[in-house]
Each structure stands twice: as C-alpha cells, then as structure tokens.
Amino acid sequence: MQTLEIGIRGMTCAACAMRVERALKALQGVAVARVNLAVESAHVEYDAQAAQPGVIAAAIAEAGYAPVVEEIEFPVRGMSCASCVGRVERALAKLPGVLEARVNLASESARVRYLPATTGLAEFRRRIAEAGYEVPAQAAKDTDAGEAQRERDLARMRRELLVGVALSTPLAVLAMGMYYAPFHGWLASVGLSEPLLNLILFALATPVMIWPGRRFFVAGWKAYRHLSPDMNSLVMTGTGAAYLYSLVVTFAPQLLPENARHTYYEAAAVVITLVFLGKFLEAVAKGRASDAIRKLLGLKARTARVLRDDKEAEVPIEDVQAGDMVLVRPGEKIPVDGTIASGSSYVDESMITGEPIPVAKQPGDKVIGATINQNGAFRFTAEAVGADTVLAQIIRLVQGAQSAKLPIQSLADRVVAVFTPIVLVIAALTAAVWLTFGPAPALTFALVNAVAVLVIACPCAMGLATPAAVMVGTGRAAELGVLFRRGEALETLSHVKAVALDKTGTLTRGRPELTDLVVAEGFDETEVRALVAAAEAQSEHPVAQAIVKAARERGLDIAEAERFEAVPGFGVEATVKGRRVHVGADRYMVKFGLDVRAFAEVARRLADEAKTPLYAEIDGRLAAALAVSDPIKPGAREAIAQLHAMGIQVAMITGDNRHTAQAIARALGIDHVAAEVLPEGKAQAVVQIQQQAGRTAFVGDGINDAPALAQADVGLAMGSGTDVAIETADVTIMNSEVQSIPAALAVARRTLRTIRVNLFWAFFYNVVLIPVAAGALYPFGGWLLNPVLAGAAMGLSSVFVLTNSLRLKRVALGILPRAAERLQSALEGGQMGLALQPVLSRRDPN
C-alpha cells in the first residue's frame, strides 16, 4: 500500500469534494480516499500493484478539477550511458507522487512531473544518490510552492473582483434607475432611450460574465457534463438564464410579450460579483485557517553549515544528508536532528517540550532540528533529515489530522449528495408554478424567482462546516502542544466521560528525586548531604543516584569513599574522609542500636505523603531522616480540578502499591484508583472504567501503557514517553504537561461545538431562504427576494462558516488565562515562532 497527498484546485463546495472522492474510490486498487475542501487536498491510500499516481491524478482531472502537479528540471551528474539514464528514470519513477520522469543524457538533466504534496526535490536527490548518481547542491530551491501558488491565486482573484466591482456598480445604478421614475425621466431627457440603455447595460455586464464569471461557467459546465451538478452549476444556470433572457430583450424583443421585455443584466453581473466576493473572502479565510502549518514550516532552518571534504560550506537545508557533520554557532537554529560530536551549549527546546529553560547539551546528547542554540558552539552528526526530522513528523501529524473526515460530517455529506439536484428541481417547479399561477408578466416572475432559488442555494457552507473547524481546531491544539494523530479523535475526545491516567511519568515525573532531608540537632545540613552523597556515589541503585544528583545540583563537593559496601535489604556502609557513614531503612539503624523515634513526626508526615523514610548514621550518631520518591508534577492538582469542572471523572491506574497510590490520589483529588495493576491488566482496568462511566480516555507514556492506550476510546500519549506509546495513541501531548490534558479536551469540545453551529446555520439558512427565494412570502404582502440579495446571502453563508471556525484560533481554554494570553501574544509577536508551549505556566501565580 502507498499513500498520496494531492492538492486539488477548482473545488468550490462540498459537492465538488464528494465528486472527486467518488471518482477516486471508483479506481481499482484505491482503498481509502478522503477529500478535504478546506485545505483543497485529497488523501489517497492505494495498492501500488493496481493503481498509479498518474491514474489517480487523471481521475481528478476527469472529474473536472485540477490536481496540483509541478514540474522541475535539475542536473544529474555521473551518468555515462543509456543504462545510466534508465537507472535514474526507474529510481525516480518508483517514488510515490512521481507522475513522469524523463532523463536526458546529452544535457545531463532530469525533468520530473510530480505531486508536490507527496514528494519533492529532497526525495529525488536521495533516490538518485541511492542509484549511484548526484544532484548538485545548487539545484535546490527553497520555495514553498503551495504558499506561492495561493498568493498568485489571491492576486488574480483580487484583479477579477476589482473588474467585477468596477463594472457592476454603474450597471446596478443604471438598471435601478430605469425603475425609479424621476431618474428614468432624466435618462430619457438626455437621449438614453430604453433600447440604447439596454445596449449600455449589455456592454457593462458582458465583461463581468466573461472574466470573473468564467470560473463559474467553466466549472459548472464540467459538473453538468459529469452529471454531478454543484454550486458552480447553480450560479451558471441562474446568472446564465438572466443574461440570456436579457440578450433576447435587447436584440430580439419581438420574441417576447411586451410586458415581459425587462432586462436583468444587473442581476446576472451583480450576482456574479457578489458570489465572487464571497469566494475571495473564503480563499482569504482558508489561508488564515492553515496558519498553523505555515508557522510550523516557518520554524525550519533555511541553510546548514556542514563539513564537506574538510571544508566548511553553507548549503540549503535540503542538501543535508544523514552522516554529515553539522556546525552550529551561538544563536543559530539547529537545522536537522542528530547527536552532538564535540562542543557544548544550552539549547532552547521550548518549541518541542514547552520548557522555557534551555537544556544543557554535551557530546552524546541528542539535538532536534528547528530548536535554537544559545551561547555555545558545537558540532553534531546529522541523523534524521528531510521528512524524518521531528519537525517534519509534527507537520505530517497536523496535516493528517486536518485532512480527516469526522463522523459528524456524514449527515452533511448525505445531504450534499442530493442537495444540488433537489435545488434544480425546486427551481424548475418554481418557474412552472409562477408561469401557471403567477400574475402578469408571469414569465418575468418565473425567471426572477427561479434565478433567486438557484443563486441562494449554496452547498459550500455545508461542505466547509466540518473541515474548516477541524483544520483550525487541530492547528490551535498544535500551538498549545497537543497533536492529534487522527482528526476523528477530536470528536471522540469531546464525548468522553472519564479520563484514566497512568501514574509514573504522567502524574509524576517518572524519575526518583530526593524530596526531603531533615537533620538531627548538632549536625550541619550541607555536611550531611555531602557525606551521604559520597557514601551513595558508588551505588547504582536509583535511590542512591537521586541522592547524588541532588547534591551535585547544589554544587557540593562529593568526596570519594575510602570504603564502600552495599548491604542488600538494609542500605549502604562507607567510610568518607575517615568518617563512618551508614544510610538505609529503620531496621538498618536498629542494627547499630540507634533509636529512630526522634524522627517519629517526620516519619508520619512522609508516610501520609506516600514516602518511605530512610535514615543516615554518621560516626555512630543518628544524623538525618530523608526520603526519595517520584514527585508529583507541578500543576497536576489544578489539571485534575479542571477535568472535574468539565464534568469528567478521573481515575488513576498504576502498578504501584495501594498505599502509595491512595496517598497520591488523595493529594490530587482523583476519584478512582486501580493500584497494583500488572501491565497486561491495564487494558482490563480501562474496560471496567468504560463499563462504569462510558467513553474513556487513557493517558500514559510507557511501553506497558500501549494496550490501555489502544483499548481506550481515545489514547493520549505524553511526548516524553516511548515511541510505542506515541504510535499507539490518538493524541500526543508534546510538552508532557498534565495541564495539557484538559487543554486537549477543551479544544475538542470547542471544535465540536463550532462544527454543530456551522452545520446548524448552513442547514437552517437553506431550509428558510430557499422557500423565500421561491416566492413563498409573495401571498403575504407581495414580498420577493431579489437575485442580487440572494447572491450576497449565498456568499456570506460560506464566509460565516469560515469566520466562525477561525474563532477557534483565539480559544484560551479557560485555564490560567494569563498564561494562555502570554502564549498567544508570543505567537502573534513572532517571539517563539510556533512555540509548542504548555497551556499552563508553572510559575503563573494564578
């Protein structure tokens, strides 16, 4: 199976998207085809043995739309004969997304037609290199073809819109004047008779029909030809009928009754202009809806400094290859992912982890592309380049979620499938009823009302209702550090009634830390810390490592123990600088005749906090009580409270002992605890919660969490967790902050609420206004809907859906508003690019 992402131009409504989807699904070998109107693209999964990219692209073109295909020519070095040409051509042709590859030996160049949403120059270079040839570095061009094309399309639409407005405005004034008695008399007095005025109106309307209106007529005709009429067909039929009728009145009036000789040039031209205005505003809004992807793309470094033949060279980012030695200076972006070979620095990884504090990097440490080096310089070996980098994977996740089709969209899809044919029938019935029962001139009434029905009925809003909200919602979630691997998870997550959390690594830090140290009277705390750390330094036990780490973080000098012995089940014994030190459990102290009751109050407090106390003895005296535990993450209590405020039940599933689990649950306010659960039992624990509470989300980070993540209705993986957990989950929390869990739910709920509002108004609009356009109110006061107003209403319906969806960009989640505001202002001010920051700030006092 292969996967293709194909950009599609020319789709204007949901009927278009469904036509393309049907055409793709009809192809032999195509298993999955999803078309997203909001991002104007198709996601296709197909059997490479039964279908080819060229056939898939041809099917889109046959359906009447334009697959986004690009052609590139670049030099290829190292070819010497015809077999070389064949080898390069075969290497390129095997790439998913390549439609045609032609290699010329004489010019030593290759010309490739391809789908830019699926592949590109970096992949071509890699495949050619694997075949044994080389594409010179200067062949690379750092351009965002999709964005450039969108800007060109907007510029062209802007020019066409200006032409439409410039001609439609005087046209509307003159046409309205014909029906306003004083103005009509003035027109006659200056020699503008009605036949001459009709010619002027014809001269003004015709360029509007030919230039701005061309897109509707060409697309509409293609839709009719494929027996699948769409919004363009409705506009073409309505405005075309009004224009042709006006032509007859202008050039062959004798064919019509005298009382029916009225022109409707203004209706045709102004409707085209208003609908075109709606399409232009829609295109602008679509561009804003994909801001998240553009911001992510903007994070990429443009060039990299690499060592080639022992010389430093600055090359485009596309030319960096795995194994290259990359040099990074202070303040620069790290171009790709890799491992530091020499040098050291601090790196700002906030765009990935959400942590604002730079991370110290030494030889052997991993670095991530697009993160920012701080004050040091280092060299690293490139390991993941191009589509394999963390940033590229994040972009793919967001794009994949944005192209998803949610279950809630199925109703809209079923309606849209029959909507346009039904509108055509209603328009025909409207014309027939007015011709049969309407007052004189019946033909005029029939035409005006039928045109109004055709123009006002717009399936665009219904088609955009779901994908536009999903695109903005998942983009906003990405800005807040929450990546939806599947767009469908948005809808499921919005319905969950319970959230089950793993303890270690999710609610707690996942690594032991020295949390408490209380010294006995007569001892110096710093000295005790240093002696205890020196005694534990030779132990590999996690508790010992936590004690040593805490001492090092305080900058203490840790001496080397002169003698060390580990006593299994009790503790350790060491001699440090001539002083005898014992560290271990209370039973170990009893062996030396020491009474630990002096620390009874401390021991009770630690027990209440689910911590087991250890004791230190120095030179025969009880010196200190200390505790090492896995501390609760900051903000965990607030996150649980937020989930409760959202009406969510919270459970904790852990393999730890029941006493520890209960203590943590009490501290956090968790409703239900499943403790001492073996890894294979976590999935069953999720089943029990599902049976009791309903739809359940599970949050975890370890390999042993994968079955539970898969069992839950929605699985959320902490970004710091294992690859297995992240791959199994539906949602990845990049910053690993507990606070991002209610953030994910809030985004999902808000997105689904927006979709429902969009669908309601899209359906309500058509249900109410189509009868009005047909003339249902005429018997109750003679009120009719002018086709011009119908065109304006049609355009505004799509604009409403998009602007309503764009409100999701401002969602503050209601959690620590000041932190959310800081994040938003930083994003808008360009201070962090797209900073995948946690929604909550640990240091925010609110």
Side-chain angles (χ1 to χ4, degrees):
M1 296 298 292
Q2 299 279 0
T3 300
L4 282 182
E5 299 291 337
I6 309 176
I8 303 174
R9 297 197 190 101
M11 296 190 300
T12 55
C13 65
C16 301
M18 292 199 66
R19 186 184 316 131
V20 175
E21 206 166 274
R22 285 197 299 270
L24 292 173
K25 288 179 177 177
L27 292 175
Q28 183 179 359
V30 171
V32 176
R34 294 197 301 268
V35 178
N36 190 307
L37 176 64
V39 295
E40 298 179 317
S41 69
H43 172 86
V44 183
E45 296 176 15
Y46 66 101
D47 183 351
Q49 301 296 323
Q52 296 297 323
V55 174
I56 293 170
I60 295 173
E62 182 62 25
Y65 303 93
V68 178
V69 177
E70 290 187 1
E71 191 168 26
I72 187 173
E73 185 173 3
F74 51 88
V76 179
R77 300 286 181 257
M79 297 186 300
S80 58
C81 64
S83 64
C84 298
V85 170
R87 193 176 304 137
V88 174
E89 285 186 344
R90 287 193 297 273
L92 291 171
K94 289 178 181 178
L95 275 172
V98 170
L99 305 180
E100 184 183 14
R102 298 193 304 273
V103 178
N104 188 309
L105 180 62
S107 62
E108 292 188 304
S109 65
R111 181 178 289 271
V112 182
R113 290 181 65 245
Y114 65 103
L115 304 172
T118 299
T119 189
L121 182 59
E123 285 294 308
F124 304 156
R125 179 180 291 107
R126 184 175 65 81
R127 282 297 176 94
I128 290 173
E130 289 174 356
Y133 305 95
E134 178 190 2
V135 178
Q138 61 266 28
K141 293 183 179 178
D142 187 19
T143 57
D144 186 347
E147 180 63 18
Q149 182 62 47
R150 191 182 77 86
E151 292 298 329
R152 288 195 294 271
D153 289 344
L154 280 176
R156 186 178 67 251
M157 291 181 73
R158 193 178 291 110
R159 289 193 297 271
E160 294 179 17
L161 179 61
L162 289 174
V163 169
V165 171
L167 295 176
S168 297
T169 302
L171 175 63
V173 171
L174 289 173
M176 300 291 182
M178 292 178 66
Y179 305 106
Y180 182 56
F183 190 46
H184 187 272
W186 177 82
L187 290 173
S189 69
V190 296
L192 285 177
S193 61
E194 193 164 315
L196 180 58
L197 189 58
N198 284 341
L199 287 173
I200 295 173
L201 298 177
F202 163 75
L204 291 170
T206 301
V208 178
M209 305 297 289
I210 292 174
W211 195 10
R214 180 185 67 254
R215 66 172 54 218
F216 301 111
F217 283 85
V218 171
W221 174 246
K222 285 182 179 178
Y224 273 133
R225 216 177 62 201
H226 288 88
L227 302 179
S228 183
D230 60 4
M231 182 274 295
N232 296 295
S233 307
L234 298 179
V235 174
M236 181 190 82
T237 305
T239 59
Y243 181 75
L244 290 174
Y245 185 87
S246 301
L247 287 181
V248 174
V249 173
T250 303
F251 298 105
Q254 67 277 6
L255 298 178
L256 298 171
E258 188 171 347
N259 62 358
R261 295 174 186 173
H262 300 291
T263 60
Y264 295 97
Y265 288 118
E266 84 286 355
V270 175
V271 164
I272 287 287
T273 300
L274 289 172
V275 174
F276 195 89
L277 171 63
K279 293 285 114 183
F280 176 76
L281 295 175
E282 184 180 306
V284 172
K286 281 182 182 177
R288 289 183 59 204
S290 58
D291 277 350
I293 292 294
R294 281 201 298 280
K295 287 178 180 177
L296 282 167
L297 290 170
L299 288 175
K300 292 192 303 183
R302 300 300 176 186
T303 60
R305 194 173 293 102
V306 300
L307 286 178
R308 297 276 170 86
D309 299 325
D310 294 325
K311 293 182 180 179
E312 187 177 319
E314 188 165 329
V315 300
I317 190 69
E318 295 86 358
D319 289 339
V320 180
Q321 300 174 5
D324 276 345
M325 184 63 68
V326 184
L327 289 72
V328 182
R329 294 173 180 169
E332 291 183 338
K333 278 186 180 179
I334 296 171
V336 295
D337 302 356
T339 301
I340 293 181
S342 63
S344 62
S345 182
Y346 284 86
V347 176
D348 179 359
E349 295 185 340
S350 61
M351 56 83 65
I352 296 294
T353 65
E355 281 290 346
I357 301 174
V359 180
K361 296 292 182 179
Q362 304 288 339
D365 290 341
K366 299 285 186 181
V367 290
I368 301 171
T371 56
I372 300 173
N373 183 32
Q374 296 287 296
N375 54 0
F378 57 86
R379 297 181 179 187
F380 74 93
T381 304
E383 294 174 345
V385 300
D388 297 327
T389 63
V390 169
L391 180 62
Q393 293 175 51
I394 291 173
I395 292 172
R396 283 200 300 273
L397 280 176
V398 177
Q399 288 174 327
Q402 289 185 339
S403 66
K405 184 174 287 188
L406 272 60
I408 195 173
Q409 193 175 346
S410 59
L411 173 61
D413 287 345
R414 290 197 296 271
V415 172
V416 167
V418 298
F419 180 79
T420 305
I422 288 175
V423 170
L424 289 170
V425 170
I426 292 173
L429 289 174
T430 298
V433 169
W434 280 100
L435 282 171
T436 305
F437 303 106
L443 182 59
T444 299
F445 279 104
L447 175 69
V448 170
N449 290 290
V451 168
V453 168
L454 290 169
V455 171
I456 195 122
C458 177
C460 301
M462 285 182 274
L464 289 169
T466 299
V470 170
M471 188 165 68
V472 179
T474 53
R476 177 59 176 156
E479 292 176 359
L480 297 170
V482 179
L483 298 181
F484 285 86
R485 289 174 53 82
R486 298 187 308 110
E488 297 89 335
L490 263 176
E491 182 168 350
T492 310
L493 188 59
S494 71
H495 296 311
V496 300
K497 301 298 183 185
V499 171
L501 305 107
D502 174 52
K503 180 183 76 69
T504 306
T506 301
L507 290 171
T508 63
R509 292 189 181 277
R511 57 185 184 272
E513 292 183 8
L514 179 63
T515 57
D516 300 85
L517 190 146
V518 180
V519 297
E521 187 176 349
F523 285 89
D524 178 70
E525 180 182 341
T526 300
E527 183 184 25
V528 170
R529 281 182 181 273
L531 289 171
V532 170
E536 297 280 11
Q538 294 184 38
S539 172
E540 295 182 356
H541 194 282
V543 170
Q545 292 175 1
I547 293 171
V548 174
K549 179 172 178 269
R552 284 177 176 158
E553 287 176 348
R554 287 175 172 254
L556 300 182
D557 181 26
I558 302 177
E560 185 174 348
E562 297 149 16
R563 186 178 64 84
F564 171 83
E565 181 183 355
V567 183
F570 287 91
V572 299
E573 176 183 351
T575 301
V576 182
K577 294 182 179 180
R579 306 186 70 177
R580 190 185 66 178
V581 181
H582 292 91
V583 183
D586 52 0
R587 59 182 177 274
Y588 195 30
M589 299 297 109
V590 171
K591 286 183 63 176
F592 305 109
L594 298 176
D595 187 357
V596 297
R597 284 181 294 180
F599 288 108
E601 188 62 35
V602 173
R604 276 194 295 271
R605 175 176 62 81
L606 293 177
D608 290 340
E609 296 172 0
K611 299 173 185 176
T612 302
L614 301 174
Y615 300 91
E617 175 262 348
I618 299 175
D619 292 335
R621 295 171 57 199
L622 189 62
L626 61 157
V628 173
S629 68
D630 186 3
I632 295 171
K633 286 183 178 180
R637 182 191 295 273
E638 292 81 358
I640 302 303
Q642 183 65 26
L643 290 171
H644 284 149
M646 299 167 74
I648 302 292
Q649 295 184 46
V650 183
M652 182 175 70
I653 301 175
T654 179
D656 278 359
N657 68 75
R658 188 167 302 279
H659 179 72
T660 301
Q662 292 288 359
I664 291 176
R666 284 195 303 271
L668 296 179
I670 290 174
D671 305 308
H672 175 73
V673 177
E676 300 175 3
V677 178
L678 296 175
E680 57 270 23
K682 287 190 175 183
Q684 185 57 40
V686 171
V687 171
Q688 293 174 357
I689 296 171
Q690 288 171 319
Q691 292 171 346
Q692 295 170 9
R695 291 186 181 179
T696 300
F698 180 79
V699 188
D701 74 329
I703 291 175
N704 60 351
D705 295 327
L709 288 166
Q711 172 60 44
D713 296 280
V714 184
L716 292 86
M718 291 298 191
S720 60
T722 63
D723 291 340
V724 174
I726 292 172
E727 286 297 320
T728 308
D730 305 299
V731 184
T732 300
I733 297 175
M734 288 297 297
N735 50 43
S736 296
E737 295 288 344
V738 188
Q739 301 97 320
S740 291
I741 299 169
L745 267 75
V747 169
R749 289 186 174 187
R750 182 75 175 271
T751 301
L752 263 291
R753 188 159 62 244
T754 300
I755 289 172
R756 292 190 189 98
V757 171
N758 286 350
L759 287 172
F760 171 79
W761 284 109
F763 285 121
F764 180 80
Y765 161 87
N766 285 289
V767 168
V768 171
L769 291 186
I770 288 179
V772 172
L777 297 181
Y778 186 78
F780 307 100
W783 198 89
L784 293 174
L785 183 62
N786 189 298
V788 171
L789 295 176
M794 172 195 173
L796 288 174
S797 66
S798 295
V799 174
F800 167 80
V801 164
L802 282 162
T803 52
N804 186 50
S805 299
L806 286 170
R807 292 170 60 237
L808 289 167
K809 291 168 69 71
R810 300 194 303 271
V811 65
L813 309 176
I815 313 171
L816 298 192
R818 281 178 52 189
E821 287 168 11
R822 282 203 304 272
L823 171 63
Q824 185 65 30
S825 63
L827 287 171
E828 292 174 352
Q831 297 168 18
M832 296 182 289
L834 181 71
L836 295 179
Q837 293 270 12
V839 180
L840 304 178
S841 169
R842 295 179 181 176
R843 282 161 287 280
D844 195 305
N846 290 331

